[in-house]
Amino acid sequence: MSTRVHQLAKELNISSGELLAKLKALKVSVKSHMSLLNDEVAGLIKEDFAAKLKKASVPSKAKAKEGSPVAVKGKKTPVSEDKEVSPKPKEPPAKDKKIVHIKIPISAKELSGKLLLKPSELLQMLLKEGIIVHINQILPEDALKKIGEKIDCEFEKLPTEEEKVIQLHSAPHDLLKMKPRPPVVTLMGHVDHGKTSLLDAIHKSSITDREAGGITQHIGAYEISFRGKQITFLDTPGHEAFTAMRARGANATDIVILVVAADDGIMPQTIEAVDHARAAGVPIVVAMNKIDKPQANIDKIKRQLQELNLAPEDWGGKTVVVPVSAKTKEGVDSLLEMILLEAELLELKADPSSPARGVVLESKISRGGPQCSLLVQNGTLKLGKFILAGEFYGKVKAMFSDKGKRVHTAGPSTPVEVLGITGSPEAGEKFYVVENETVAREITQGRQLIIKEKGLGVAKKTSLENLHERIIQGKEKELRLILKADFQGSLEAVKSVLSKIPSDQIKLTILHEGIGGIIDSDVMLASASDAVIFGFQVDADERAKAHAKTEGIEIRIYRIIYEIYDEIKKALEGMLEPKREEVFLGRAEVRQVFKVSKVGAIAGSFVLKGKIVRNAVCRVMRGKEVVHKGKISSLKRLKDDARDVEEGFECGIGVDNFTQIQPGDLIEVYHIEETARTL
Ligand code: GDP
C-alpha cells in the first residue's frame, strides 16, 4: 500500500514542503505533494522522524502506569481506546524502556492497534528484520522481541482469560472442603483377554432390580455402587484410548486393571499396557481372567507377572492379583473390593463445592445437537453453568446420568452427558466451568486462533536436536525413550549401547521397548510422556509417521548400533547435524531402452507409483542393488518435455551420466528434506 507525500506529511504532523525537502535530501525523486511513496520509503522517513521524536521525549518506565501507550515513532499524541491503556500526555523524558501490556496470543493487527501503528507499518518493521507475517497472524515470540527492540519498549504479558480460569481451577484446595471421591478405573490388556467381557460383567452385576428395566446409556463411562461405595469405570478399554487422552493432557484414570487371560499369559499388548500405565504413574491391579477355563494356569501367569516387575502379593511382591472369570462372575466381587482398597490407599479427594472441571470422554453430534460425555474431576457441575472444552463452549441445558436419568448436578468422578455445548470437542480435552458467556467466548476464540496458526499451539516436544538447548535451559535432565527393534537380540544390543551414555550427562528412561515396527500407540505414548522414539532395523507405519508429524514427535531410525551412541553424544553436546530425511516422490519401471546419439540412453518407462520429476535426484535399482545414483536429466511425455509425469503414464527418462540402464530396472525419485534445529 503506498502513501501520498501530503498524507505522510499529515501523519508526521509536518508540512508537505518540509517532507519534500527531506525526500530530496534522501535523493528520492518526487514531483509534488501528490506523488506516491512506496512503503519502504515511507517506512524510512517515519523511522527517521521517530528517532528524532524519541530523543525529544521518551516516557519513563518507572512512572509509567500499567498499560499506558508506548511512544510510537512518528505519532504525536498517541491515544488508545483500549481499556487497559490510558494516555499519559506529559511524561517526563527518561531512558527507561516503556512497558506495554499485551495478551498472548496477539496478532499483528491487534498489536499494531495497541501500539497505535498502522498494521502495514508494523508488518514492514518486521519485514526489515526478516520476519514475514500477515496481518491476522499470531506474532511469534521472536517477532515481539524484535518489535520491542525497535520501538524501545518491553512487552509484559497480561494473564489471558484462559490463564485466569486455569489459575482459578488449579488454586490450592481448601483442605477442609476436600471430600473423598470415587476412583476412576480403566481396563487394559491384550486383545481377547476379556476386557470388554469383564467391563460388562461388572456393569451388569451392579444394576439393581429397580434399574434393570431402565435404559442404560453409553456415555463413555459408568458408575457402580459396591458395598455402599461408588466406582467409575471408563467404557473404552485399552491403553490406546488411555494414552490418547493423556496426550491431550488429561489424566482421567486413577487405577488401571490389567486383564491377563489365565489360559494365555503375558502378551505383547499386555506389556504395552503395563508400560503405558507406568509412564502415567497409575497403579496397576491385575485381573487374571478366564480362570473357568481348564487350560488356565495361574502359577505360570504369576511367574510371568513377576518377570514384569509385577510380583503378586502372595509371592512376596506388591501387586494385587485377583483371579476372576467374566463368564462365571467368580472373583468379580474380590476385584471390586481390591479396587476400593487401592482407592483408599490413594486417598482420592476432591472439593465438591468448587466450580466443576474435568475431561471430555467422548462427544457426538446427534439430531438434537452436540452431545458431550464429561467426567467431572473436581467440583460439581450444575445445570445452567457455562462450560468450555477445547474450541467450544456452551451453557449446560440438560444433563443425563449413565442410567439415562436427568440430573441437575454431577459431583467429582461422575460421568454425565451434557447438552448445550456448541460443538463436539475431542475426547481427552479438558473442560472448565467459567464465569459467563463472554469469558467462554474470549477463550475459545483465542484457542481457535492458535489452532488456525498451525503449529503455534503445539508445545515444542523433546527431540535429539533440541536436547542440548533444553538441558541448558534447565528444561531437561532426562531423555525419555521408546525403543523398537527387529529382534530381542538387537533390542538388548541397543540397551547395552544406551547404558554406556554417562548418567551424569543425562538420565535415560526407557518408557517402553518392544519388538516390531513403530505403531501409533508408540507415538501416542511419546506424545503423552514427551519422549523420543528410536527404531532399530524397523520402520514406522504410515499412520504412526503421519501422527508423529502432527504431534511433533521425533522418530529416529537406526541401522547401525553405534550410530545411536554417537547421535546421543552429539545431541548432548549440541553438535547434532540437522536431520536429513529422504522423501519418496515416485517409482518407474524401465520397459525399453533407446540409444539416442549425443543424449545417451533414454529409458522408456512406466510410472508405477507417485510421480517422476525432472531434475529430481534418483537411484536406479536392479533387483535389490543400487546400480546408479544421479539426477533425472530429461523427461518426456510422448514427444514433449514434461516437468513431471504421474502414476499410470508412460514416459521417457534420461538419467544423467548413466548409459547402462536396462529394461526391468526401477528408477526411484526422491528429495531430501532437512529438518532444521527446533530450538
Ligand atoms: P477384549 O478384546 O479384551 O475386550 O476381549 P473380549 O471381552 O471381547 O473377550 C474375548 C473372548 O473371550 C470372547 O469370546 C469372550 O466370550 C471370551 N471371554 C472373556 N472372558 C472370559 C472368561 O472369563 N471365561 C471364558 N471362558 N471366556 C471369556
Side-chain angles (χ1 to χ4, degrees):
M1 212 178 64
S2 20
T3 322
R4 294 199 187 274
V5 172
H6 72 96
Q7 286 169 331
L8 182 60
K10 196 172 166 205
E11 206 179 298
L12 301 174
N13 212 18
I14 56 172
S15 70
S16 297
E18 259 179 276
L19 184 54
L20 285 169
K22 173 85 197 160
L23 288 165
K24 204 170 165 192
L26 285 172
K27 298 201 167 48
V28 179
S29 94
V30 275
K31 286 188 180 135
S32 75
H33 69 288
M34 288 303 286
S35 303
L36 282 170
L37 296 172
N38 68 28
D39 282 351
E40 204 175 338
V41 173
L44 282 171
I45 299 282
K46 280 181 201 165
E47 234 168 68
D48 195 56
F49 274 83
K52 278 182 196 158
L53 271 178
K54 201 164 60 189
K55 264 188 221 155
S57 154
V58 178
S60 143
K61 172 183 175 178
K63 294 207 171 179
K65 263 196 192 149
E66 262 204 3
S68 52
V70 67
V72 175
K73 297 164 186 185
K75 297 269 177 183
K76 286 201 108 182
T77 340
V79 179
S80 167
E81 285 162 12
D82 195 323
K83 261 193 275 170
E84 285 139 30
V85 179
S86 59
K88 289 206 77 182
K90 282 181 187 154
E91 203 73 67
K95 286 203 173 86
D96 288 345
K97 273 190 183 169
K98 184 89 180 92
I99 306 241
V100 178
H101 291 94
I102 53 168
K103 282 184 180 172
I104 302 274
I106 190 163
S107 67
K109 190 176 177 185
E110 285 164 340
L111 186 68
S112 63
K114 195 97 191 163
L115 299 177
L116 304 172
L117 280 172
K118 280 189 193 162
S120 57
E121 291 171 329
L122 187 75
L123 298 189
Q124 207 180 356
M125 200 186 280
L126 286 168
L127 192 63
K128 278 190 190 150
E129 298 299 325
I131 300 171
I132 301 169
V133 287
H134 62 77
I135 184 158
N136 290 318
Q137 193 175 334
I138 292 174
L139 293 170
E141 223 166 273
D142 60 332
L144 285 173
K145 211 170 140 212
K146 286 270 159 62
I147 298 167
E149 280 163 13
K150 272 234 142 172
I151 59 175
D152 222 7
C153 77
E154 225 170 78
F155 294 112
E156 243 177 50
K157 213 179 121 203
L158 283 174
T160 58
E161 285 301 338
E162 170 145 17
E163 282 164 341
K164 283 190 219 159
V165 168
I166 291 170
Q167 248 168 32
L168 175 80
H169 280 279
S170 52
H173 299 295
D174 181 346
L175 287 181
L176 292 175
K177 290 183 182 165
M178 298 295 277
K179 302 273 180 306
R181 66 165 178 85
V184 179
V185 179
T186 299
L187 271 71
M188 293 188 194
H190 195 72
V191 64
D192 278 351
H193 279 198
K195 300 177 291 291
T196 318
S197 310
L198 199 51
L199 262 175
D200 264 9
I202 296 168
H203 199 180
K204 287 201 184 106
S205 68
S206 74
I207 295 172
T208 60
D209 292 342
R210 201 155 46 85
E211 287 165 346
I215 315 153
T216 53
Q217 300 274 102
H218 172 85
I219 66 163
Y222 65 79
E223 268 186 308
I224 66 152
S225 176
F226 180 73
R227 311 243 154 101
K229 291 197 167 145
Q230 305 285 319
I231 307 173
T232 300
F233 286 89
L234 296 189
D235 248 359
T236 321
H239 55 274
E240 288 89 353
F242 169 85
T243 301
M245 270 214 185
R246 264 198 342 112
R248 305 212 140 265
N251 254 339
T253 305
D254 300 309
I255 300 167
V256 161
I257 305 293
L258 182 72
V259 181
V260 187
D263 63 334
D264 199 12
I266 305 290
M267 298 300 280
Q269 284 175 29
T270 322
I271 300 172
E272 268 179 38
V274 171
D275 289 344
H276 283 231
R278 279 184 177 150
V282 177
I284 298 171
V285 168
V286 178
M288 203 194 297
N289 192 30
K290 305 198 189 185
I291 52 159
D292 59 287
K293 282 197 155 184
Q295 308 92 312
N297 185 344
I298 295 181
D299 278 354
K300 179 185 129 192
I301 311 296
K302 287 189 175 173
R303 209 170 34 250
Q304 290 180 333
L305 286 169
Q306 199 165 29
E307 282 164 19
L308 264 185
N309 270 335
L310 287 171
E313 275 181 328
D314 55 344
W315 281 29
K318 287 191 177 135
T319 309
V320 177
V321 180
V322 189
V324 293
S325 164
K327 192 176 171 188
T328 65
K329 316 271 187 308
E330 188 188 341
V332 170
D333 279 3
S334 314
L335 179 64
L336 298 176
E337 259 165 39
M338 288 305 154
I339 293 172
L340 288 177
L341 211 64
E342 189 71 39
E344 226 167 83
L345 292 176
L346 292 172
E347 294 186 24
L348 304 167
K349 285 189 174 152
D351 171 8
S353 69
S354 67
R357 70 164 168 79
V359 50
V360 175
L361 294 175
E362 51 187 50
S363 64
K364 56 177 185 256
I365 309 265
S366 68
R367 246 189 250 158
Q371 282 171 284
C372 264
S373 296
L374 307 177
L375 174 75
V376 180
Q377 293 182 296
N378 193 46
T380 299
L381 185 60
K382 295 177 184 155
L383 274 183
K385 291 282 174 195
F386 276 96
I387 51 175
L388 80 96
E391 299 163 72
F392 307 104
Y393 70 93
K395 189 177 184 171
V396 181
K397 286 189 191 145
M399 285 201 284
F400 298 91
S401 74
D402 57 323
K403 319 268 180 324
K405 275 195 201 144
R406 263 180 193 276
V407 289
H408 295 276
T409 59
S413 302
T414 310
V416 270
E417 188 165 69
V418 167
L419 303 186
I421 298 180
T422 47
S424 62
E426 283 193 59
E429 206 73 73
K430 290 176 183 163
F431 81 83
Y432 298 98
V433 161
V434 291
E435 226 173 293
N436 54 41
E437 189 169 8
T438 321
V439 173
R441 193 181 311 120
E442 182 166 331
I443 296 175
T444 45
Q445 277 171 357
R447 288 182 177 182
Q448 281 162 0
L449 200 61
I450 289 179
I451 290 166
K452 238 167 63 191
E453 290 295 321
K454 218 171 99 207
L456 277 176
V458 181
K460 294 245 168 71
K461 297 275 170 43
T462 300
S463 71
L464 278 202
E465 289 183 14
N466 68 20
L467 187 63
H468 182 66
E469 275 70 24
R470 290 176 84 104
I471 294 171
I472 288 174
Q473 289 163 8
K475 280 189 196 161
E476 214 72 78
K477 288 191 183 71
E478 184 189 16
L479 176 62
R480 287 164 298 279
L481 292 172
I482 291 168
L483 305 181
K484 295 302 279 285
D486 51 349
F487 299 109
Q488 190 62 35
S490 14
L491 196 59
E492 296 307 325
V494 172
K495 287 203 290 184
S496 140
V497 158
L498 290 175
S499 69
K500 296 197 174 87
I501 302 284
S503 59
D504 57 333
Q505 287 191 359
I506 191 116
K507 181 174 171 248
L508 295 180
T509 306
I510 300 168
L511 293 183
H512 174 61
E513 57 184 65
I515 311 299
I518 294 156
I519 53 173
D520 202 31
S521 85
D522 298 325
V523 175
M524 219 104 79
L525 179 60
S527 174
S529 309
D530 197 8
V532 175
I533 304 175
F534 281 7
F536 181 68
Q537 298 282 16
V538 291
D539 282 319
D541 68 24
E542 290 309 316
R543 191 158 163 233
K545 270 189 207 162
H547 198 175
K549 208 162 189 172
T550 52
E551 294 285 313
I553 298 301
E554 187 177 37
I555 298 180
R556 296 190 88 93
I557 305 287
Y558 296 97
R559 307 272 169 216
I560 305 163
I561 210 109
Y562 285 102
E563 258 179 26
I564 301 178
Y565 181 82
D566 282 353
E567 287 212 351
I568 296 184
K569 283 294 278 181
K570 279 187 189 156
L572 289 171
E573 289 154 15
M575 302 293 283
L576 201 65
E577 298 280 318
K579 202 164 78 179
R580 286 163 66 85
E581 234 178 305
E582 196 179 281
V583 180
F584 173 83
L585 293 177
R587 182 181 301 120
E589 188 187 25
V590 180
R591 300 261 161 105
Q592 225 178 335
V593 177
F594 308 95
K595 298 278 177 198
V596 181
S597 59
K598 286 188 197 155
V599 180
I602 292 294
S605 315
F606 181 78
V607 186
L608 299 171
K609 203 167 178 341
K611 61 181 176 183
I612 301 300
V613 182
R614 185 150 43 107
N615 289 330
V617 273
C618 69
R619 67 169 83 78
V620 181
M621 308 278 299
R622 193 162 298 156
K624 285 190 170 168
E625 206 188 331
V626 179
V627 289
H628 179 75
K629 277 187 172 180
K631 225 170 101 179
I632 305 286
S633 52
S634 75
L635 184 65
K636 277 191 194 288
R637 165 99 192 102
L638 301 173
K639 288 212 152 40
D640 302 324
D641 279 333
R643 202 180 300 174
D644 51 50
V645 178
E646 299 276 346
E647 184 173 321
F649 288 99
E650 286 179 336
C651 57
I653 302 175
V655 178
D656 67 340
N657 303 322
F658 190 56
T659 50
Q660 307 308 314
I661 204 149
Q662 289 178 12
D665 286 353
L666 291 178
I667 302 175
E668 277 187 1
V669 184
Y670 54 94
H671 79 89
I672 301 286
E673 205 173 76
E674 233 176 50
T675 319
R677 280 175 183 280
T678 40
L679 296 183

